[in-house]
Amino acid sequence: MMTKERVCIIGSGNWGSAIAKIVGRNVRGSERFDEQINMWVFEELVNGRKLTDIINTEHENVRYLPGIKIPENVCAVPDLMEAVRDATVLVFVVPHQFVKGICERLRGNIHPNAKAISLIKGIDVEGNGLSLISDIIAHSLSLDVSVLMGANIANEVAADKFCETTVGCRIRENGELFRELFHTPYFRVNVVEDVAGVELCGALKNVVAIGAGVVDGLNYGDNTKAAIIRLGLMEMKKFARTFYQGVKEETFFESCGVADVITTCSGGRNRRVAEAHVRTGKSFEELEKEMLNGQKLQGTTTAKEIHEVLAKKDMCGEFPLFTTIYQICYEGLPSSRIVEDL
């Protein structure tokens, strides 16, 4: 008899909790996956109660995904080592700035047959240039890492509204395992063998969404926003293919590509905060605290990281949209320059 895969979700924010709902449902009655799911929760107090206690008794993450029931087979665990014990499938869904610290704690403490998937949208540029989050996890923990990215606003996914997503894998067998773990009639998973392409789409679209939010804040209208989306897609593709060999053209037409750009530029948190930045004049840091209920704004940090890579290569002029968005976020460039400098 085949030993069942044990799943641990590392992270419990808005997106992590939405994914926990899908995974918790999908493993019930499964011949492949154990029904018990551990979800590592960074412990905090909500109205004087531990968040893990609330999740485990009321089956709802009242802090990050209120109003949505999480299946009872998902157990919130505050201790990271306890959460990953015996897990053979690790689902990483934390803000990208916390990945290295988590991997350092996990090194030497995970199942020898573990494989992982990253749902984290961001890149890292410390040291020798550009690193994908999946590569950081893979190198730190010596395991295969796939990625999942797509037009997946967490609250809509949690409400069972139809959408698609893309799994990028290196090992097809692992990609199919993750398809089985995540696929539902309303959350449709497509598997492609292009980790770098899928992951870079997921990170870079947040920068384009900052541009879209700036346009909305300026009341420039839908034609201008469509132009920003098109130019953003072009720069995403150019960036991905400049810095990574083997990125596939068709990846940009998957959910992780054009669809994710459209949805993030329409309704995502990066767009909302950028619009508020233009309308209020408040800093992105201030607005992150005011508007995001403890969630992190990824677009601004990714814009900064991209800029570091481009500046080192003396290529800023070749990516005018990315460069302008960076300057609006960090150098006080007037928002109106979003179109003037293209």
Side-chain angles (χ1 to χ4, degrees), residues 179-208:
R179 184 182 187 281
E180 189 176 330
L181 183 62
F182 295 112
H183 184 85
T184 76
Y186 70 89
F187 190 70
R188 185 178 290 170
V189 178
N190 192 37
V191 179
V192 298
E193 292 178 43
D194 182 8
V195 171
V198 172
E199 188 165 1
L200 282 168
C201 281
L204 298 176
K205 58 93 194 188
N206 283 330
V207 181
V208 183

Side-chain angles (χ1 to χ4, degrees), residues 92 94-96 99 116-124 130-139 144-150 165-170 192-207 236-237 239-241 244 246-248 251-252 254-257 260-261 298 302 305-306:
F92 283 85
V94 293
H96 77 277
V99 170
I117 189 164
S118 170
L119 280 60
I120 300 166
K121 295 179 175 178
I123 54 175
D124 185 84
L130 179 66
S131 295
L132 299 175
I133 300 302
S134 63
D135 286 341
I136 292 170
I137 297 168
H139 295 153
D144 180 65
V145 184
S146 302
V147 295
L148 181 148
M149 308 280 156
T165 199
T166 312
V167 165
C169 64
R170 291 181 181 84
V192 298
E193 292 178 43
D194 182 8
V195 171
V198 172
E199 188 165 1
L200 282 168
C201 281
L204 298 176
K205 58 93 194 188
N206 283 330
V207 181
M236 284 168 58
K237 188 168 131 184
F239 187 95
R241 299 188 81 169
Y244 280 87
V247 171
K248 295 175 181 174
T251 298
F252 296 91
E254 290 288 339
S255 182
C256 63
D260 200 4
V261 174
Q298 303 289 11
T302 304
E305 288 158 345
I306 290 168

Side-chain angles (χ1 to χ4, degrees), residues 15 17 29 47-48 53 69 78 86 88-89 91 108 120 126 145 157 196 237 245 273 279 316 321 327:
W15 187 213
S17 299
N47 297 325
D53 290 345
K69 288 297 175 187
D86 299 325
T88 56
V89 175
V91 180
I120 300 166
E126 282 184 18
V145 184
V157 174
K237 188 168 131 184
Q245 290 184 327
V273 172
R279 295 195 190 280
C316 294
L321 180 64
Q327 290 171 333

Side-chain angles (χ1 to χ4, degrees), residues 272-319:
R272 285 190 293 116
V273 172
E275 180 183 14
H277 168 72
V278 176
R279 295 195 190 280
T280 66
K282 292 180 180 178
S283 71
F284 284 97
E285 292 80 10
E286 267 183 283
L287 291 165
E288 181 184 72
K289 290 190 182 80
E290 281 180 22
M291 296 175 66
L292 297 186
N293 190 34
Q295 297 289 108
K296 290 294 179 187
L297 188 68
Q298 303 289 11
T300 49
T301 47
T302 304
K304 187 177 186 180
E305 288 158 345
I306 290 168
H307 184 74
E308 285 179 36
V309 173
L310 295 176
K312 278 181 189 169
K313 302 279 186 182
D314 197 25
M315 292 176 70
C316 294
E318 294 180 44
F319 294 85

Side-chain angles (χ1 to χ4, degrees), residues 210-262:
I210 297 283
V214 169
V215 165
D216 285 345
L218 292 164
N219 294 318
Y220 280 1
D222 291 338
N223 293 344
T224 307
K225 192 164 171 180
I228 293 296
I229 289 172
R230 187 194 75 81
L231 291 163
L233 264 169
M234 295 295 286
E235 290 195 13
M236 284 168 58
K237 188 168 131 184
K238 184 176 181 180
F239 187 95
R241 299 188 81 169
T242 297
F243 292 100
Y244 280 87
Q245 290 184 327
V247 171
K248 295 175 181 174
E249 180 86 14
E250 53 268 31
T251 298
F252 296 91
F253 295 94
E254 290 288 339
S255 182
C256 63
V258 62
D260 200 4
V261 174
I262 291 168

